[in-house]
Amino acid sequence: MKTYLVTGGAGFIGSNYIHYMFRKYGSDIKIINVDKLTYAGNLENLKDLEGNPNYSFVRADICDKEAITKIFNENDIDRVVHFAAESHVDRSIKNPEVFVNTNVLGTAVMLNAAKAAWENEDGSFKEGKKFLHVSTDEVYGSLPDDGKSYFYETTPYSPHSPYSASKASSDMLVKAYIDTYHFPANITNCSNNYGPYQFPEKLIPLMINNALHGKSLPVYGEGKNIRDWLYVDDHAKGIDMVQEKGRLGETYNIGGHNEKRNIEIVNIIIETLQEILPDSDPRKKNVSKDLITHVEDRKGHDLRYAIAPDKIKAEIGWEPETMFKDGIKKTIKWYLENEDWMKNVTSGDYQKYYEEMYKQA
Ligand code: NAD
Ligand code: TYD
């Protein structure tokens, strides 16, 4: 039985990944979830796993070398899947330091601890051990709005935000471990994810939540920026396939050729809500395109992201399964059915963040 150490498993993608892995492998795997539980980490995302003997949770900061080393000493870890990070561009513009701490130093701690636990005396690594570093396409910078240029694994790094710069640095550290020590790792660079359990500071859940409450929908600038959206389960599947089938030391881009302008996304959300909410639902009367408010643009706002997933398709056979029109419906339905989840995560600190961030909306 393989033992997984998943960092950041209480966040959006991490919790979806853990659900995916137990759906796929059942009791054939063990997962230890290590998470600091920042504002973005929420154990409610995993409450169905409480009492599962194959799942355990450790509250720890990935920058805490002692705590991370202890987990490696007490468990024979076969796989590390490293999600833990500060993940929101707007927050990184306001407060970059915590991004450097968690994303760069935290990754260094994870790499060192895994290396110490897995290294043989002759500098080789124990058979079958693998580290997967989960990263973003934002490390490649921004593409022109030409519909034909894409991010490939060979595209030079050119990060613009403190978030993407910190992720780029962490990727470089992983590459350095691969080159220097032949450390058994892979990197995945994925496009924007959407799905259940995403914190409502990000575009899609923020717009769904605001629309349901009749609050303005703050579109940065003209809303023409383009993101390449992937349903979160397809990302989880890609991570697992890369870890099991990928060539060690390689980077794989994950994305599903699903580019949309932000304004299109907001319009789709409103139209889908109007379509699926029954007339008897009091939230329906709140939902309107009149809520769209164009606000000041994000500083250094990247124009377009678009992944070319050719390598992962050719080498590993990964392809996305969820069409955007189905994924967005499924996602919106999930938020409609999980109002309490949204209430819980938007109480307290979120209010302060929102008022500060969206003063003009
Ligand atoms: P998230 O913000 O929802 O979750 C991050 C998790 O990490 C939270 O549970 C948080 O508590 C935990 N965490 C933060 N700092 C920590 C620390 N110091 N020690 C331990 N745990 C800590 O993020 P997400 O959207 O799920 O992203 C997960 C990973 O995937 C990140 O590395 C991100 O860069 C990458 N990624 C995200 C996207 C996306 O669209 N969301 C796309 C590509 C790659
Ligand atoms: P976001 O979900 O923050 O992801 P990222 O910046 O990592 O791509 O934002 C997605 C796009 O939506 C991005 O171009 C910024 C834009 N956006 C808005 O227009 N309004 C908002 O309130 C937010 C959060 C994002």
Side-chain angles (χ1 to χ4, degrees):
M1 181 190 296
K2 286 191 196 101
T3 300
Y4 286 73
L5 174 54
V6 173
T7 70
F12 163 49
I13 307 176
S15 58
N16 279 287
Y17 168 81
I18 292 175
H19 284 129
Y20 172 86
M21 292 297 280
F22 279 124
R23 278 201 305 276
K24 177 161 181 204
Y25 295 104
S27 53
D28 291 344
I29 56 167
K30 256 174 73 178
I31 295 183
I32 302 166
N33 172 16
V34 182
D35 198 299
K36 182 183 176 181
L37 299 182
T38 67
Y39 77 92
N42 184 359
L43 287 182
E44 217 184 312
N45 300 2
L46 297 158
K47 64 173 183 293
D48 53 316
L49 292 172
E50 278 165 25
N52 181 330
N54 290 45
Y55 169 76
S56 58
F57 173 70
V58 180
R59 185 169 191 177
D61 187 332
I62 54 164
C63 300
D64 181 345
K65 194 174 159 179
E66 236 171 81
I68 299 299
T69 303
K70 185 164 177 270
I71 299 170
F72 277 97
N73 287 342
E74 290 176 354
N75 301 277
D76 183 15
I77 305 292
D78 301 296
R79 300 275 186 274
V80 173
V81 183
H82 177 37
F83 292 97
E86 287 292 334
S87 68
H88 189 39
V89 173
D90 291 323
R91 288 186 191 250
S92 81
I93 293 167
K94 283 209 154 38
N95 180 19
E97 268 179 47
V98 62
F99 284 73
V100 178
N101 280 328
T102 288
N103 299 2
V104 186
L105 297 177
T107 299
V109 168
M110 289 306 303
L111 287 167
N112 253 340
K115 177 175 174 286
W118 293 348
E119 203 171 24
N120 295 315
E121 276 183 11
D122 65 359
S124 65
F125 287 90
K126 289 182 189 150
E127 196 61 31
K129 306 293 185 188
K130 294 182 184 184
F131 187 108
L132 190 137
H133 177 63
V134 180
S135 192
T136 165
D137 60 355
E138 303 190 24
V139 298
Y140 298 120
S142 182
L143 292 166
D145 186 356
D146 61 3
K148 62 176 187 197
S149 48
Y150 295 99
F151 295 140
Y152 291 88
E153 288 79 0
T154 49
T155 303
Y157 276 28
S158 177
H160 299 135
S161 72
Y163 164 66
S164 53
S166 69
K167 291 297 292 187
S169 312
S170 66
D171 291 11
M172 291 301 176
L173 268 177
V174 179
K175 286 175 201 267
Y177 270 62
I178 292 168
D179 292 347
T180 309
Y181 310 111
H182 302 294
F183 183 70
N186 287 104
I187 300 171
T188 53
N189 295 91
C190 188
S191 61
N192 286 63
N193 283 213
Y194 69 100
Y197 303 112
Q198 188 167 28
F199 195 78
E201 65 191 352
K202 304 277 166 59
L203 180 73
I204 290 182
L206 187 144
M207 294 297 168
I208 298 171
N209 188 40
N210 281 17
L212 289 172
H213 290 94
K215 282 172 72 174
S216 68
L217 306 177
V219 172
Y220 299 166
E222 290 184 69
K224 288 190 174 158
N225 301 63
I226 296 167
R227 297 292 181 264
D228 186 358
W229 294 95
L230 183 71
Y231 192 65
V232 65
D233 281 354
D234 284 328
H235 186 187
K237 184 178 92 169
I239 288 170
D240 180 43
M241 287 178 77
V242 166
Q243 197 157 49
E244 294 316 313
K245 298 185 180 171
R247 285 183 292 135
L248 276 177
E250 292 291 311
T251 290
Y252 294 89
N253 284 351
I254 309 183
H257 280 304
N258 182 53
E259 292 178 52
K260 299 251 179 289
R261 292 186 196 281
N262 295 337
I263 193 70
E264 275 178 82
I265 294 283
V266 176
N267 280 319
I268 292 171
I269 289 171
I270 296 167
E271 286 156 18
T272 311
L273 281 170
Q274 285 168 335
E275 181 198 319
I276 64 180
L277 278 167
D279 289 341
S280 57
D281 192 314
R283 296 173 292 183
K284 188 165 186 168
K285 66 171 189 341
N286 292 333
V287 179
S288 158
K289 288 196 180 169
D290 295 341
L291 295 172
I292 294 175
T293 311
H294 291 271
V295 298
E296 191 185 327
D297 210 349
R298 177 185 275 173
K299 288 189 176 70
H301 199 171
D302 285 340
L303 180 58
R304 174 172 168 253
Y305 302 144
I307 284 272
D310 305 12
K311 179 174 173 183
I312 191 171
K313 188 176 173 197
E315 286 191 15
I316 294 178
W318 176 89
E319 273 188 293
E321 284 171 20
T322 312
M323 302 279 291
F324 186 74
K325 67 172 180 28
D326 302 325
I328 194 72
K329 240 186 205 165
K330 213 153 79 169
T331 301
I332 291 175
K333 279 192 181 144
W334 187 88
Y335 286 102
L336 288 175
E337 286 159 11
N338 290 276
E339 246 197 327
D340 283 349
W341 180 92
M342 188 59 96
K343 259 191 208 138
N344 290 344
V345 300
T346 51
S347 60
D349 274 359
Y350 179 80
Q351 293 301 336
K352 250 176 43 207
Y353 164 78
Y354 194 88
E355 279 155 30
E356 184 58 27
M357 177 73 205
Y358 293 99
K359 279 186 201 124
Q360 26 151 13

